[in-house]
Amino acid sequence: MDPCPFIRLTINNLALKAPQAAKTSSSVVHPSPSTSFCKIKLKNFPPQTAAIPYIPLEATQFPEIQTLAATFHLSSSDVARLSSRSIFASKPCLKIFIYTGRAGGACGVNPGRHVAEVSVPLDLAGAQGKQCVFHNGWISVGKGAGKESSFHLNVKAEPDPRFVFQFEGEPECSPQVVQIQGSIRQPVFTCKFSCRNTGDRTMRSRSLPPETSVPRSWLNSFGSERERPGKERKGWSITVHDLSGSPVAMASIVTPFVASPGSDRVSRSNPGSWLILRPGDGTWKPWGRLEAWRERGGATDGLGYRFELIPDGSSGAGIVLTESSISSHRGGKFSIELGSSPTAGSVSRTRRRSGGSSGGTSPASSPRGGSGDYGYGLWLGSGYKGFVMSASVEGEGKCSKPCVEVSVQHVSCMEDAAAYVALSAAIDLSMDACRLFNQRMRKELCSESSLG
C-alpha cells in the first residue's frame, strides 16, 4: 500500500506579554490574565480558537509551555490550492487575531475585543519532504503604557503521510472499500452488513461460521444483550473482509441504542455502544469500544461519541482517545489526534469501566494484527502525539460514503487498516442508530429487533 502525502501544520506555545494599563486605544494591547484568546485562520479552512496564557511584562524568563493551540491537516490538493500564485493571490499566510475578554458568548455575540493581528508567511511546498519551522519566538504587537507588548508562538509544518480509503457505497449496503493514491482507486476490502433477530445470537455473515462469532463473555464485559422495553435499535454488525474473503475486522453493537423514557432520543447518560474486534487465536478479540448518543439542543443537536482503546483486548479499563460531537444536519469528521488541546476536539484520559480490572495503563508492547502486535505500543508506550485517523460522516438523510484517513505510523499490515475501516463504519452507522425514534429507518437497517 502506498500512502498519500499530507502536511500537518501546528501552532504551539502561545503566550502574551503585555503591560496592565488603565487607558487603552485601538492600537494598544491591554489583556487581563487568563482572559485573552485568539482566532487562528488559514484560507479555505474553518477558523480555530485557542486561549492565550498571560505572562507579566516584568517576567525575565519564558516558561516551558508545550501547548498545542491548533492543527491544520493539508492534503496535496490543499497545498496546491494555497500555494497557487496569480496577480490576485499573495503568498499563503497564517493569520492570528488576538482578543481580550472571553471566547464565545450568548446568542452569537462575541464579548472579546480585537486588539492585534499577526501574520506568518507559509512556504508549504517545502514542507512536503521535511519539517519546516515558519516562526518560533516573539512578535511585537503594539505598545501599552509606553511599553512594548509581545506575542509568542511556534508555527511549524511536517510531513504526515496517510493511507486513504473510501467506501464505494453506504456501509449498510455492504460496499467495497478502495484505497486511493492520487487518481488510482484500488479495491482492498469488502464489507458485509448484517442484522440478527431477537433470538439469534449468531451474526449472519457469509464468511463467519458460528465457532468464530463474538464470544458471549465479551458481550457481558462490554455491553448488554438483554431485552429492554420500549424503543431500541440493536443487532447490527459490519464485517470487513480482505480480497480473499477472510474476515479481518468487525464492528458489532453490544449495547442497544435505546430511547430515553418519555423521549425519542438516545441520551448521553445511556448511550449505545459498538465493539470493534480483530481476529486472533481463532476468535474475535476486542480492540476498541465506541459509545454514541444524541446530543440535545437546537443548533448543537448532533451525534455525540466517545472512543476508547482496549489494551490487550482486556475487559478492564479502556483508554479514551477521543470524545466530541458531529452535527446531525451538516455531518463532519470523526477524528483521533493524540496530544491535541480540547479546542482541537479530542480528549485523552484513562476511563474505568464498571466491573473491569483496576489496571488502566498499557504495557510497553502488545500484540498487533497479523504480525502479532495490535498497535497499542506506539500509542500508549512511547508518548506518541499527532494524527491517528479521521473519517468523514454525512448528516442525517444524506448518502454517506465514508472517506477514511489513517497515519502510516499506525498501519503495519492490512489488518491494522481494516480495524480503522470497521471503526469508521461504526461511527457512520451510529448517525442512523441515534436518529430520533419518531423517524422511520431505511429498510437495510431494519430487523425484528431494530424498531423505529
Side-chain angles (χ1 to χ4, degrees):
M1 297 190 298
D2 293 323
C4 295
F6 277 77
I7 289 176
R8 183 172 183 257
L9 179 68
T10 57
I11 298 87
N12 305 272
N13 305 353
L14 302 185
L16 188 61
K17 182 184 287 189
Q20 297 289 328
K23 292 182 64 177
T24 63
S25 66
S26 59
S27 61
V28 173
V29 175
H30 176 61
S32 298
S34 74
T35 58
S36 297
F37 68 97
C38 65
K39 290 185 177 180
I40 304 170
K41 297 184 178 182
L42 182 65
K43 186 178 178 181
N44 301 325
F45 287 85
Q48 300 184 38
T49 302
I52 306 176
Y54 175 79
I55 299 178
L57 192 63
E58 298 75 21
T60 58
Q61 292 185 341
F62 179 65
E64 290 294 327
I65 301 174
Q66 298 295 330
T67 303
L68 179 63
T71 304
F72 295 92
H73 303 281
L74 287 70
S75 65
S76 294
S77 58
D78 294 328
V79 173
R81 197 159 45 241
L82 286 168
S83 302
S84 61
R85 304 298 294 271
S86 71
I87 59 174
F88 304 105
S90 58
K91 191 172 183 178
C93 285
L94 182 76
K95 294 187 177 181
I96 302 175
F97 300 87
I98 303 171
Y99 298 84
T100 59
R102 299 188 181 278
C107 303
V109 177
N110 188 346
R113 184 173 65 86
H114 178 235
V115 294
E117 178 180 333
V118 171
S119 292
V120 179
L122 305 174
D123 181 11
L124 296 171
Q128 291 187 307
K130 62 179 181 179
Q131 183 182 105
C132 292
V133 178
F134 302 116
H135 184 86
N136 184 33
W138 294 95
I139 297 177
S140 175
V141 291
K143 291 186 177 181
K147 298 180 180 179
E148 194 79 13
S149 299
S150 301
F151 179 64
H152 186 280
L153 76 162
N154 172 279
V155 181
K156 67 179 180 180
E158 54 191 344
D160 188 18
R162 304 172 186 180
F163 296 109
V164 181
F165 306 93
Q166 185 164 30
F167 290 72
E168 292 203 310
E170 296 178 286
E172 61 267 32
C173 297
S174 300
Q176 181 175 252
V177 178
V178 297
Q179 183 188 354
I180 299 175
Q181 214 287 324
S183 61
I184 302 173
R185 299 172 65 89
Q186 179 181 357
V188 287
F189 301 116
T190 59
C191 296
K192 178 63 177 178
F193 176 80
S194 59
C195 297
R196 64 178 180 273
N197 295 326
T198 303
D200 182 6
R201 302 295 183 184
T202 304
M203 308 297 172
R204 296 204 303 268
S205 176
R206 62 186 177 192
S207 61
L208 285 180
E211 59 270 20
T212 60
S213 60
V214 182
R216 289 297 303 279
S217 59
W218 294 131
L219 297 177
N220 294 333
S221 298
F222 295 98
S224 172
E225 278 289 285
R226 65 185 182 275
E227 295 300 317
R228 302 190 186 189
K231 304 170 184 177
E232 62 179 20
R233 293 171 183 141
K234 65 178 183 179
W236 301 359
S237 68
I238 187 163
T239 308
V240 181
H241 305 261
D242 61 22
L243 295 183
S244 70
S246 300
V248 286
M250 175 194 280
S252 178
I253 291 180
V254 291
T255 302
F257 290 77
V258 180
S260 296
S263 78
D264 285 307
R265 67 174 64 233
V266 180
S267 69
R268 184 189 184 102
S269 61
N270 188 28
S273 67
W274 297 79
L275 204 56
I276 315 300
L277 304 112
R278 300 179 56 160
D281 301 326
T283 186
W284 288 108
K285 292 189 174 182
W287 174 76
R289 185 172 185 264
L290 174 71
E291 291 183 338
W293 59 89
R294 179 88 176 200
E295 293 281 9
R296 181 185 295 274
T300 62
D301 199 15
L303 175 71
Y305 63 81
R306 180 190 300 113
F307 175 71
E308 62 183 19
L309 192 69
I310 302 172
D312 282 339
S314 66
S315 59
I319 309 300
V320 178
L321 299 183
T322 184
E323 182 175 346
S324 189
S325 63
I326 298 170
S327 168
S328 60
H329 175 66
R330 298 185 306 273
K333 273 196 174 183
F334 168 87
S335 63
I336 301 174
E337 183 164 353
L338 303 185
S340 61
S341 67
T343 58
S346 69
V347 180
S348 181
R349 67 178 185 271
T350 301
R351 175 175 174 267
R352 295 183 186 276
R353 194 163 35 245
S354 60
S357 64
S358 60
T361 58
S362 167
S365 61
S366 309
R368 174 197 291 259
S371 60
D373 178 3
Y374 276 93
Y376 311 119
L378 176 60
W379 293 18
L380 309 175
S382 62
Y384 174 84
K385 292 183 179 181
F387 176 82
V388 177
M389 65 87 67
S390 70
S392 61
V393 182
E394 293 293 339
E396 289 181 346
K398 299 177 182 177
C399 179
S400 183
K401 300 178 181 180
C403 183
V404 187
E405 298 171 6
V406 186
S407 170
V408 295
Q409 298 190 64
H410 298 280
V411 177
S412 65
C413 59
M414 292 295 288
E415 289 83 356
D416 292 343
Y420 295 106
V421 169
L423 172 58
S424 303
I427 189 68
D428 185 85
L429 288 166
S430 293
M431 185 67 79
D432 292 295
C434 292
R435 195 181 182 96
L436 295 177
F437 277 82
N438 58 8
Q439 300 175 0
R440 292 189 63 83
M441 300 291 289
R442 54 186 296 172
K443 63 180 182 180
E444 290 87 353
L445 295 167
C446 293
S447 71
E448 292 180 16
S449 59
S450 298
L451 304 176

